[in-house]
Amino acid sequence: MGDVPSLDHAVDNLLHAPVSRLRREFEGLDFHLGHLPWARRVSEGDRDVRRELAEAVRACHRLTVEPYWHRGRAELIALSARCANLMLEGGIDLLLRSVCAPLVRWRPPVLEAPYPRRVEVRLQGRGLIITPTVFSKHPVSLLWDPLDTAQPPRLTVPALRRPLTGTEPAEADGAAVRNLESLLGRTRAAALHVTAEGCTTSEMARRLNVTAAAASQHATVLRNTDLITTSRRGGSVLHLITPLGLALLRTGALTEP
């Protein structure tokens, strides 16, 4: 269904994918004998069965992804910030050495990763996309389309150290929320919470119902205490929570390890 910004886009891609693409995708999958007739109809482009699959995808997303996505996104942002820091500290060598070691081993110019079968992927100048994931059962996965040599392969690495829960951070522990508000103040605690999903200054102001100047001041204090990072994106700035900010958001207080 592609690398898309929303479930609606993904389902739309599924409904309009060419039959040749469906056949190629289904060739590498093993199905239970009882499911083979249905799978064959999907791969042949049967519109009714394809719509049935699309509804199943929506139902699966509603039950298994949507309740956990807020926390999952916060984990992804934290791992992305960590990877960015590794790049700044030691470049690509340090980043690759630090990704899921010892499962992934960087032996320049070769990156070794576990895979169900022995296979060699040559990048040929395409680059490699490292994608943190919260919903894969595999420690590391290498995803690429051998028939599409233009797209770079993806190395997926887990972003979680513990299972997700289906609650929002503010609902997980009332005492933690009160501690956080006592430490930062209610509005600034809410500002930190907003950055878990990433936001611009104007978005923060709108969600907190404060002026842009006040939102900018809150962001400055959070940034100066290493709870968020700020980067320029076009004509605006993007605020993202840091691993330290995420830990504070979870517990409501900074504690010694």
Side-chain angles (χ1 to χ4, degrees):
M1 292 186 286
D3 185 3
V4 292
S6 70
L7 177 65
D8 288 337
H9 283 80
V11 170
D12 186 66
N13 285 350
L14 171 63
L15 292 173
H16 295 92
V19 173
S20 59
R21 179 73 185 187
L22 291 173
R23 287 175 179 166
R24 189 170 68 191
E25 294 281 356
F26 275 61
E27 282 175 359
L29 300 178
D30 294 325
F31 291 94
H32 186 278
L33 287 177
H35 300 155
L36 277 175
W38 176 87
R40 190 174 296 114
R41 289 175 64 191
V42 175
S43 66
E44 292 173 353
D46 185 298
R47 296 185 64 82
D48 290 337
V49 177
R50 200 189 295 208
R51 281 194 291 266
E52 184 180 294
L53 176 58
E55 288 307 310
V57 169
R58 289 187 182 279
C60 182
H61 182 276
R62 187 166 55 250
L63 292 173
T64 64
V65 177
E66 195 173 275
Y68 309 96
W69 182 236
H70 182 91
R71 282 181 174 267
R73 183 178 175 83
E75 296 282 359
L76 294 175
I77 290 171
L79 181 57
S80 295
R82 176 174 173 265
C83 288
N85 288 334
L86 289 171
M87 281 287 292
L88 290 173
E89 291 172 11
I92 190 64
D93 284 357
L94 178 60
L95 174 61
L96 292 178
R97 288 199 308 269
S98 304
V99 173
C100 288
L103 294 175
V104 175
R105 290 182 294 182
W106 173 234
R107 297 180 176 179
V110 175
L111 182 67
E112 298 178 351
Y115 199 70
R117 62 183 185 278
R118 186 172 181 82
V119 62
E120 185 175 280
V121 179
R122 295 184 177 272
L123 299 181
Q124 298 177 324
R126 290 176 294 170
L128 176 71
I129 298 176
I130 299 177
T131 305
T133 177
V134 296
F135 296 111
S136 174
K137 65 179 180 179
H138 303 292
V140 178
S141 298
L142 183 63
L143 308 176
W144 89 102
D145 185 345
L147 300 181
D148 187 351
T149 58
Q151 294 297 319
R154 291 176 180 268
L155 180 70
T156 68
V157 297
L160 299 182
R161 290 184 294 273
R162 57 184 179 182
L164 292 173
T165 62
T167 57
E168 296 291 320
E171 298 170 347
D173 186 336
V177 174
R178 290 190 294 273
N179 288 341
L180 183 61
E181 291 179 353
S182 298
L183 182 66
L184 298 178
R186 177 169 296 181
T187 303
R188 193 159 293 159
L192 180 63
H193 191 285
V194 168
T195 63
E197 297 183 2
C199 67
T200 64
T201 302
S202 59
E203 289 171 341
M204 180 185 293
R206 176 176 53 81
R207 294 184 62 174
L208 299 181
N209 195 27
V210 299
T211 65
S216 179
Q217 184 180 16
H218 288 308
T220 298
V221 173
L222 294 174
R223 183 172 60 254
N224 289 342
T225 51
D226 294 326
L227 297 178
I228 69 170
T229 62
T230 300
S231 58
R232 183 160 293 281
R233 298 291 174 87
S236 61
V237 295
L238 180 68
H239 307 294
L240 291 173
I241 196 167
T242 65
L244 179 64
L246 186 63
L248 180 60
L249 198 63
R250 285 181 182 144
T251 63
L254 294 173
T255 57
E256 293 294 327

